[in-house]
Amino acid sequence: MNKIKNTVFVSGVFNVLHIGHIRLFAFAKTIGARLVVGVLDEHLCGNRPKQSLDERITQLSTCSLVDEVTVIESSALETIRKIQPNVILKGAEFASFINEELEFIAECPACELLFSPGVLGDFPPSHTSHAKSTEYLKRHKIT
């Protein structure tokens, strides 16, 4: 991957910005030059207690690792199509879920869907080869 041209996309509710999010964002910045974070609009958050959309946008916007915050108004897939990222990054806990982002990967094979436990050091900052990606996926039992 050419870090200069890469946009990494991460999405979620981000009710509380915690250390797991910070690690995920820091990891994103090691593999891409630009981090765009999609935050779910309130009607997409379900019934769980939550901060307002404005509060969640504010906390994400103040994080120096985040280059841009965008609101996911209808679906992550629609937002991804607008942003056209090179990498879609999700937490490792989503690896066994049905991931709608795979539809975009099928449309745009130059984009990668990666799962990370948000631990720095999983990929070296100079990550440039498919072999390193494959090693990572095997190590974390991701197919």
Side-chain angles (χ1 to χ4, degrees):
M1 280 188 275
N2 183 347
K3 184 173 174 175
I4 301 304
K5 296 180 182 177
N6 277 346
T7 296
V8 179
F9 179 76
V10 173
S11 63
V13 175
F14 303 106
N15 221 3
V16 175
L17 192 58
H18 57 72
I19 191 64
H21 294 134
I22 301 301
R23 287 183 182 134
L24 189 68
F25 297 165
F27 172 66
K29 295 297 280 191
T30 69
I31 61 173
R34 181 171 167 248
L35 173 58
V36 178
V37 176
V39 61
L40 293 174
D41 201 346
E42 290 174 349
H43 72 277
L44 297 173
C45 294
N47 293 329
R48 53 190 155 190
K50 60 188 173 299
Q51 293 183 0
S52 73
L53 178 61
D54 288 340
E55 290 169 325
R56 293 179 289 131
I57 290 170
T58 299
Q59 71 181 3
L60 287 166
S61 297
T62 60
C63 178
S64 63
L65 296 165
V66 176
D67 296 299
E68 181 182 334
V69 177
T70 188
V71 177
I72 299 173
E73 296 176 350
S74 60
S75 75
L77 186 57
E78 183 179 300
T79 303
I80 289 166
R81 284 184 175 128
K82 288 178 188 173
I83 294 171
Q84 296 284 308
N86 305 91
V87 178
I88 300 166
L89 182 61
K90 297 182 83 169
E93 68 272 21
F94 295 101
S96 62
F97 288 38
I98 295 172
N99 291 286
E100 68 178 331
E101 296 88 352
L102 289 172
E103 189 174 325
F104 180 75
I105 302 299
E107 297 167 10
C108 183
C111 181
E112 294 181 78
L113 174 59
L114 297 178
F115 298 92
S116 171
V119 177
L120 295 178
D122 277 340
F123 285 114
S126 62
H127 166 68
T128 55
S129 75
H130 179 71
K132 290 178 185 172
S133 297
T134 303
E135 291 170 18
Y136 170 84
L137 295 173
K138 284 180 186 176
R139 187 169 63 252
H140 292 284
K141 299 180 178 139
I142 300 170
T143 58

